[in-house]
């Protein structure tokens, strides 16, 4: 299992047709027809999707493109995502349906009906209000995967505050930077979480981050592990203490929001500089996540939906929390490592809870595949109906294992391509679509894509080019928080005349119109499906007192998809050693988080640079892989 590249054929011989019972029950039976309609009358299509939601006031205009590329959707409409994710279910049979099944790593279980979820969210919303949280303010959330994480997100949304969730695997510098950029006054965290039988030290990291970014006035901690943590008198509160006070009343009105009011920011890595906070809204995001979730995963009232992503990333926002709750599904959430205490943990939970749809990443599949099929074979996985993949290209070996061993050869795999910026899935099959392993297949309704060269010419079928999206969609990020110019430059500048969105990925479209995503064309690295920027890893390295310059690149890795390899120039008088290499790896891990820990650190005398001083990462990569270094004419030395 060395290669992650897809076959260069159009893969027709590999077509996997959906089983009859799937086609018979599918919510959408005719992709081509619905797609054609959605493109001919895009606004009409989205208006129909929007009508499936609860609006306090109907929109006046579906799409307002008067300030391109700052598109607005459903303007004049009044809505709140919580009105759809919770409130409206309370008036139906879903009131007593399970909204959430949660299992902690040590084996503790919690379940919440929609009624109970509403109660917890309302109580915490009132707590936030009592802490002075106002509409439009950004609350930072830094938590393990426990029920209080979605509860905190929903509580913010309910009162019109925005959330900025920082992935619980990030460390001090990453958290501090995101708190400062959001200018957050309130932080919600936990004393720790369970991961592989050990406690993750969230509160200690949070304390250090608060020291570095002093905007936080109130820190609320959930007691998850019970370990000793440092709390400061006038700043720190325990979640369970606050939730017992009269301020935590179980009723709270859901704030009526404008369709375009921001719902959250989510930081993600870009090509250069600091991570950027993408802004998503109440109206368009509600419509887009629920519509794509319903169509791609053919969601039914009796489904038990498990999106195994961490809520700290966009997949968790859109398809663990918001999309599925809007669709009234029962969501599954698990706190810990997939192989703890044994590699059958996931398969055991699928059997135990009767999970019908599993949505995860190729990395997770490859990681579990390596333990062998005897682990899943011990369990009855017959409740599974559909499988999903997201975050990186899925290699054919992992696809086949997922399909045959986990899905009994009967569960179609929805390989979904999208990004933090897109808010929801963009290219993905429906359950009725014939599949080619490794291809995300076709664009979803209302989405038009092309693969083009630098001059906006579409490339030939089978040829590699840049992936663009030709028209706006409701789930799109509206801007980069605090930096609208960067939003324009990053995504819209290159194909400005055409008005196309540049995804930052390279891709190929075969003769059957199937899309094959190849990977990032910029300096974004996907490690285990997690998105990191070379710039962040480099800046963590140079923050070490022995390092003068650094470069980071991604090289293929059997399980993680990509791994980070780094090159550093040390300060004068410092000599490279195995000990220093280990120290630098640890330094990156403690500044950024374990996912950013480099595979190795190479000590160099100089780095390949252009005459203007830009590090040529492609040269480092070609050398490391023993490939042709390409055009070196711009190389300085
Ligand atoms: O390179 C693509 C890859 O993940 C990038 C987006 O990362 P992020 O914003 O973290 O969102 C990940 C979850 C939606 C894309 O630019 N990517 C995502 N899904 C796929 C993928 N690459 C290939 N196939 C996919 N299904």
């Amino acid at each position: 299992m060395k290669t992650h590249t897809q076959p260069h054929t159009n893969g027709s011989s590999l077509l996997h047709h959906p089983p009859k019972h799937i086609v018979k029950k599918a919510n959408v039976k005719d992709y081509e027809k619905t797609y054609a309609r959605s493109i001919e009358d895009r606004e009409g299509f989205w208006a129909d999707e929007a009508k499936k939601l609860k609006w306090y006031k109907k929109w006046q205009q579906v799409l307002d493109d008067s300030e391109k590329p700052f598109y607005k959707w459903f303007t004049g409409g009044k809505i709140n995502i919580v009105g759809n994710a919770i409130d409206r279910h309370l008036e139906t049979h879903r009131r007593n349906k399970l909204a959430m099944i949660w299992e902690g790593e040590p084996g503790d279980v919690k379940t919440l009906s929609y009624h109970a979820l509403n109660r917890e969210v309302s109580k915490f919303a009132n707590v936030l209000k009592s802490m002075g949280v106002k509409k439009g303010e950004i609350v930072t959330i830094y938590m393990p995967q426990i029920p209080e994480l979605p509860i905190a997100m929903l509580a913010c949304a309910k009162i019109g505050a925005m959330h900025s969730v920082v992935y619980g695997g990030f460390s001090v510098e990453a958290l501090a930077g995101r708190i400062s950029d959001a200018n957050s006054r309130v932080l919600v965290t936990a004393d720790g979480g369970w991961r592989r039988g050990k406690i993750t030290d969230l509160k200690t990291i949070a304390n250090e981050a608060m020291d570095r970014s002093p905007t936080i006035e109130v820190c609320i901690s959930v007691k998850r592990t019970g370990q000793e943590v440092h709390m400061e008198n006038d700043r720190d509160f325990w979640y369970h203490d606050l939730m017992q006070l009269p301020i935590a009343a179980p009723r709270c009105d859901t704030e009526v929001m404008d369709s375009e009011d921001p719902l959250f920011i989510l930081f993600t890595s870009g090509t250069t500089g600091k991570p950027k906070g993408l802004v998503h809204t109440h109206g368009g995001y509600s419509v887009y996540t629920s519509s794509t979730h319903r169509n791609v995963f053919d969601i039914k009232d009796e489904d038990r939906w498990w999106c195994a992503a961490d809520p700290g990333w966009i997949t968790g926002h859109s398809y663990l929390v918001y999309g599925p709750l809007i669709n009234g599904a029962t969501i599954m959430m698990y706190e810990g490592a997939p192989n703890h205490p044994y590699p059958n943990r996931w398969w055991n939970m699928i059997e135990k809870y009767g999970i019908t749809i599993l949505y995860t990443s190729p990395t997770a599949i490859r990681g579990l595949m390596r333990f062998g099929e005897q682990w899943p074979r011990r369990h009855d996985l017959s409740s599974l109906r559909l499988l999903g993949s997201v975050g990186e290209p899925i290699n054919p070996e992992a696809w086949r294992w997922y399909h045959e061993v986990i899905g009994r050869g009967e569960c179609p795999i929805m390989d979904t391509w999208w990004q933090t910026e897109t808010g929801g899935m963009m290219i993905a099959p429906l359950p009725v679509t014939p599949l080619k392993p490794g291809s995300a297949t076709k664009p979803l309704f209302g989405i038009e894509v092309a693969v083009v060269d630098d001059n906006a010419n579409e490339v030939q079928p089978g040829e590699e080019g840049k992936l663009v999206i030709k028209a706006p969609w409701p789930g799109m990020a509206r801007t980069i928080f605090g930096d609208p110019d960067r939003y324009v430059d990053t995504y819209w500048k290159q194909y400005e005349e055409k008005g196309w969105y540049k995804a930052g990925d390279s891709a190929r479209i075969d003769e059957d119109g199937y899309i094959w995503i190849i990977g990032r064309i910029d300096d974004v690295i996907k490690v285990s499906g997690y998105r990191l920027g070379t710039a962040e890893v480099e800046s963590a390295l140079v923050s070490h007192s022995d390092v003068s310059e650094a470069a980071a690149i991604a090289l293929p890795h059997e399980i993680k998809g990509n791994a980070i390899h780094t090159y550093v120039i040390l300060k004068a008088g410092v000599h490279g050693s195995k000990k220093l290499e280990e120290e630098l790896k640890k330094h990156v891990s403690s500044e950024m988080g374990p996912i950013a820990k480099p595979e190795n650190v190479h000590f160099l005398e100089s780095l390949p640079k252009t005459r203007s001083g830009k590090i040529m990462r492609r040269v480092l990569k070609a050398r490391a892989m023993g490939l042709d270094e390409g055009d070196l004419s711009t190389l300085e030395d």
Side-chain angles (χ1 to χ4, degrees):
M1 202 181 72
K2 279 221 177 59
T3 159
H4 293 117
T5 52
Q6 299 100 13
H8 278 261
T9 66
N10 69 13
S12 289
S13 55
L14 306 170
L15 270 189
H16 286 257
H17 290 277
K20 286 206 181 66
H21 65 275
I22 297 268
V23 178
K24 209 168 144 203
K25 288 195 181 156
N27 289 347
V28 182
K29 294 207 172 50
D30 191 335
Y31 165 80
E32 303 292 343
K33 214 167 113 196
T34 314
Y35 181 75
R37 192 245 149 172
S38 76
I39 300 301
E40 276 156 29
D41 177 16
R42 203 184 314 267
E43 293 181 31
F45 174 81
W46 288 121
D48 285 348
E49 290 301 282
K51 280 180 202 150
K52 295 173 182 157
L53 299 187
K54 170 186 165 118
W55 294 80
Y56 304 114
K57 184 174 161 237
K58 201 186 160 194
W59 58 90
Q60 283 151 2
Q61 206 179 344
V62 174
L63 172 65
D64 172 357
D65 60 1
S66 59
E67 288 169 65
K68 287 178 199 167
F70 298 97
Y71 297 94
K72 298 191 191 85
W73 285 87
F74 309 108
T75 48
K78 300 275 186 195
I79 190 171
N80 186 311
I81 200 162
V82 176
N84 287 284
I86 301 180
D87 302 357
R88 68 169 176 161
H89 302 313
L90 303 176
E91 295 149 25
T92 70
H93 65 283
R94 290 189 182 131
R95 182 179 192 97
N96 295 320
K97 177 181 174 175
L98 286 187
M100 190 194 301
I101 303 170
W102 172 84
E103 189 167 304
E105 199 188 69
D108 44 338
V109 177
K110 266 191 203 164
T111 54
L112 291 167
S113 64
Y114 274 92
H115 167 84
L117 179 64
N118 177 52
R119 193 164 183 278
E120 295 303 310
V121 169
S122 299
K123 281 167 70 80
F124 195 57
N126 281 323
V127 166
L128 290 175
K129 274 188 177 172
S130 76
M131 294 292 177
V133 174
K134 297 264 173 333
K135 191 170 173 174
E137 170 173 346
I138 304 175
V139 173
T140 297
I141 300 176
Y142 177 64
M143 288 171 105
Q145 291 196 61
I146 53 178
E148 290 82 356
L149 171 44
I151 288 169
M153 292 165 73
L154 290 158
C156 289
K158 189 173 175 72
I159 60 173
M162 298 159 75
H163 53 72
S164 164
V165 181
V166 179
Y167 169 56
F170 274 136
S171 197
V172 184
E173 190 48 41
L175 176 59
R178 285 158 172 81
I179 291 174
S180 300
D181 284 355
N183 208 7
S184 274
R185 205 174 53 79
V186 177
L187 173 68
V188 187
T189 185
D191 58 349
W194 291 101
R195 185 91 195 165
R196 242 169 236 113
K198 293 201 194 105
I199 288 174
T200 52
D201 234 348
L202 273 94
K203 183 68 171 99
T204 309
I205 293 170
N207 284 345
E208 273 183 53
M210 286 188 280
D211 289 344
R212 289 192 201 180
S213 58
T215 58
I216 299 291
E217 291 166 16
V218 174
C219 176
I220 303 173
S221 299
V222 175
K223 191 172 262 187
R224 166 67 187 135
T225 62
Q227 65 169 331
E228 236 354 90
V229 291
H230 173 75
M231 304 278 278
E232 276 183 24
N233 268 341
D234 47 357
R235 180 193 71 192
D236 281 311
F237 301 85
W238 286 110
Y239 182 95
H240 62 272
D241 284 344
L242 296 172
M243 290 290 267
Q244 276 167 21
L245 298 175
I247 49 164
R251 271 173 191 279
C252 175
D253 286 339
T254 302
E255 190 75 29
V256 174
M257 306 296 284
D258 283 337
S259 175
E260 279 294 306
D261 275 339
L263 166 65
F264 65 81
I265 62 171
L266 185 60
F267 285 94
T268 191
S269 301
T271 302
T272 51
K274 288 201 295 184
K276 47 198 178 193
L278 274 317
V279 180
H280 286 284
T281 58
H282 275 263
Y285 182 81
S286 296
V287 174
Y288 199 72
T289 53
S290 58
S291 160
T292 48
H293 179 248
R294 188 171 52 242
N295 291 332
V296 174
F297 287 102
D298 211 14
I299 208 78
K300 306 282 193 299
D301 222 6
E302 57 275 20
D303 270 321
R304 287 202 160 174
W305 161 259
W306 185 10
C307 165
D310 191 292
W313 300 85
I314 192 70
T315 310
H317 280 58
S318 302
Y319 299 115
L320 195 165
V321 182
Y322 290 116
L325 291 178
I326 296 174
N327 288 331
T330 297
I331 62 175
M332 167 74 200
M333 186 172 170
Y334 166 60
E335 177 183 32
N339 58 343
H340 188 84
Y342 301 107
N344 65 333
R345 184 66 189 261
W346 274 21
W347 319 129
N348 187 39
M349 288 189 289
I350 289 171
E351 175 182 289
K352 184 169 162 194
Y353 301 112
I355 302 298
T356 57
I357 312 174
L358 173 66
Y359 186 38
T360 185
S361 66
T363 291
I365 298 158
R366 289 192 293 265
L368 288 166
M369 182 172 150
R370 116 191 106 122
F371 297 109
E373 27 184 284
Q374 68 273 23
W375 293 100
R377 293 265 185 243
R378 285 168 52 182
H379 296 276
D380 176 4
L381 303 180
S382 60
S383 59
L384 286 173
R385 181 163 60 83
L386 288 171
L387 299 170
S389 174
V390 60
E392 42 178 330
I394 181 164
N395 50 307
E397 295 86 339
W399 197 97
R400 273 191 287 277
W401 193 83
Y402 199 26
H403 189 245
E404 273 146 42
V405 180
I406 306 307
R408 318 177 300 281
E410 280 180 16
C411 304
I413 297 177
M414 307 295 106
D415 178 355
T416 64
W417 176 88
W418 57 292
Q419 312 176 298
T420 308
E421 292 84 346
T422 69
M425 303 178 244
M426 302 291 282
I427 302 173
L430 303 185
V432 297
T433 309
L435 304 173
K436 297 184 188 185
S439 167
T441 75
K442 309 236 172 149
L444 288 175
F445 304 138
I447 305 300
E448 255 182 299
V449 305
V451 173
V452 300
D453 64 18
D454 280 329
N455 302 317
N457 302 308
E458 293 203 19
V459 303
Q460 293 300 312
E463 245 178 64
E464 184 172 338
K466 290 177 176 167
L467 182 66
V468 297
I469 299 158
K470 289 174 147 180
W473 63 102
M476 66 201 302
R478 297 300 190 262
T479 188
I480 292 176
F481 181 70
D483 202 348
D485 293 343
R486 189 171 169 200
Y487 175 72
V488 176
D489 287 349
T490 312
Y491 307 110
W492 303 95
K493 195 95 203 168
Q494 185 168 1
Y495 301 109
E496 202 174 7
E497 271 172 38
K498 299 272 188 188
W500 295 346
Y501 166 90
K502 184 177 83 177
D505 277 9
S506 62
R508 198 167 52 228
I509 304 185
D510 70 21
E511 282 107 16
D512 301 331
Y514 277 58
I515 301 158
W516 301 78
I517 306 293
I518 298 163
R520 299 290 307 188
I521 38 179
D522 51 13
D523 294 319
V524 168
I525 309 184
K526 286 259 130 173
V527 183
S528 302
Y530 295 128
R531 179 163 161 179
L532 294 169
T534 51
E536 293 157 82
V537 179
E538 290 160 5
S539 96
L541 280 167
V542 295
S543 74
H544 187 280
S545 57
D546 288 343
V547 175
S548 136
E549 279 185 77
I553 58 166
L555 293 178
H557 185 278
E558 212 175 302
I559 307 280
K560 301 180 192 171
N562 289 298
I564 301 170
H565 293 249
T566 62
Y567 301 83
V568 303
I569 304 178
L570 295 169
K571 290 206 174 133
V574 184
H575 297 286
S577 64
K578 200 72 209 158
K579 187 163 159 265
L580 184 56
E581 176 177 1
E582 285 314 309
E583 188 179 317
L584 291 175
K585 283 196 214 169
K586 247 177 90 185
H587 178 73
V588 175
S589 175
S590 68
E591 286 292 303
M592 282 279 298
I595 49 162
K597 189 174 177 178
E599 281 303 284
N600 48 38
V601 181
H602 299 283
F603 300 107
L604 297 182
E605 295 294 324
S606 70
L607 288 168
K609 281 187 193 160
T610 60
R611 284 186 203 98
S612 58
K614 228 178 134 220
I615 297 171
M616 295 176 83
R617 296 191 188 81
R618 110 184 130 74
V619 174
L620 288 169
K621 191 163 174 166
R623 267 181 213 164
M625 295 179 73
L627 301 173
D628 178 11
E629 291 176 11
D631 178 11
L632 294 182
S633 59
T634 56
L635 196 68
E636 170 202 44
D637 193 353

